[in-house]
Amino acid sequence: MATPRDYDADPERFRLAARVTERYLSGGRGQHERVAEVLTVAGADLILDIGCGEGALSAALPAPARRRVVGLDASATMLGRHPLPAVRAEATALPFAAGVFDAAVAVNVLHHLDDPVAAIGEAHRVLAPGGVFVTASPSRLDSPELSHLWRPEPSSFDAEDAPRLVAEVFGRVETEWWDAPLIVLPDERAVRDYLIARCVPPEVASAAVSRVRTPITVTKRGAFVYGYR
Ligand SMILES: C[S@@+](CC[C@H](N)C(=O)[O-])C[C@H]1O[C@@H](n2cnc3c(N)ncnc32)[C@H](O)[C@@H]1O
């Protein structure tokens, strides 16, 4: 059920996904901008970004806050492009003392874990009282307009399950859904890249694009879940 990780074997697939979102996002804010806003409003000082990737959250934060982000990731390749401090570790075994962070974030990470609740428990442990845990995950019903070509594989942390799983650890939980026509793919090349970014093999994606009329607007669905310590 956990989504396989390809961040060291094929980092260009992840980078393509980031470029596709940036290029074709239409009329909405990115996830990292929303999380940066939540952290700013919460007044979070020291922030742990679990599964930080190459630093998209850090880049979305205002410059002073950026210096107070600790990036943590299991992939050496991803960490190589994250600003320091950056720590290589597993989300289920955070190498920090209890109660030291004001915020712990895991954006599009927990679906890679067989046991996401173990990682949520670790996030809870390293948060100070009053700290906030922020996570984001896509829905099983993401991108319905492309469902004849591709469906998301069910994962261990789909948006539909995320509030319940976070509530196994945190006493107070809030959920904020997104469900909107956020991506406009202008041509077959863009559709192909969108599918490859979602782990469709390139030859399958190339063959599939002829079954889509472009431009096509794609509905993005998922949820932010907040846990308060
Ligand atoms: C889809 S990327 C998201 C990166 C970043 N959070 C973002 O939103 O741009 C998932 C990241 O989680 C990391 N990751 C996956 N499983 C992990 C684990 N068990 N412990 C730490 N990091 C993990 C991967 O290496 C990858 O960098």
Side-chain angles (χ1 to χ4, degrees):
M1 273 271 271
T3 307
R5 311 181 206 173
D6 62 358
Y7 301 94
D8 290 311
D10 184 13
E12 290 308 324
R13 199 275 313 156
F14 168 73
R15 291 171 188 149
L16 175 67
R19 282 200 305 279
V20 165
T21 302
E22 185 179 299
R23 201 169 291 165
Y24 303 122
L25 186 67
S26 155
R29 259 179 324 171
Q31 291 179 17
H32 302 99
E33 285 68 27
R34 174 62 186 144
V35 173
E37 180 183 67
V38 167
L39 297 176
T40 303
V41 169
D45 186 23
L46 191 58
I47 298 164
L48 176 63
D49 187 7
I50 301 163
C52 59
E54 297 188 324
L57 174 62
S58 173
L61 283 161
R66 228 173 273 167
R67 288 191 286 275
R68 305 287 290 162
V69 175
V70 177
L72 178 140
D73 205 288
S75 159
T77 310
M78 293 289 111
L79 281 178
R81 291 196 180 180
H82 192 281
L84 297 174
V87 178
R88 189 170 178 201
E90 281 290 322
T92 48
L94 299 177
F96 304 106
V100 292
F101 291 97
D102 302 301
V105 178
V107 173
N108 297 330
V109 175
L110 298 179
H111 63 289
H112 286 300
L113 278 77
D114 289 326
D115 182 4
V117 175
I120 298 166
E122 273 292 87
H124 184 274
R125 182 183 66 77
V126 302
L127 280 174
V132 61
F133 174 62
V134 181
T135 187
S137 219
S139 159
R140 284 193 280 272
L141 303 176
D142 185 48
S143 310
E145 296 82 0
L146 297 176
S147 62
H148 60 303
L149 306 180
W150 164 81
R151 292 302 320 133
E153 291 289 329
S155 87
S156 55
F157 198 72
D158 293 332
E160 285 78 2
D161 302 321
R164 174 181 57 76
L165 294 172
V166 175
E168 287 188 23
V169 174
F170 285 85
R172 183 157 78 89
V173 173
E174 290 172 6
T175 304
E176 180 185 334
W177 290 91
W178 67 86
D179 182 350
L182 290 174
I183 295 279
V184 179
L185 302 173
D187 51 30
E188 289 192 356
R189 171 69 190 265
V191 175
R192 178 177 177 273
D193 286 350
Y194 186 87
L195 294 174
I196 294 172
R198 275 144 198 87
C199 301
V200 176
E203 61 282 5
V204 177
S206 296
V209 294
S210 62
R211 296 163 58 204
V212 178
R213 180 174 296 179
T214 55
I216 184 167
T217 299
V218 179
T219 302
K220 299 301 293 173
R221 292 179 176 145
F224 298 106
V225 182
Y226 308 106
Y228 299 91
R229 190 172 183 335

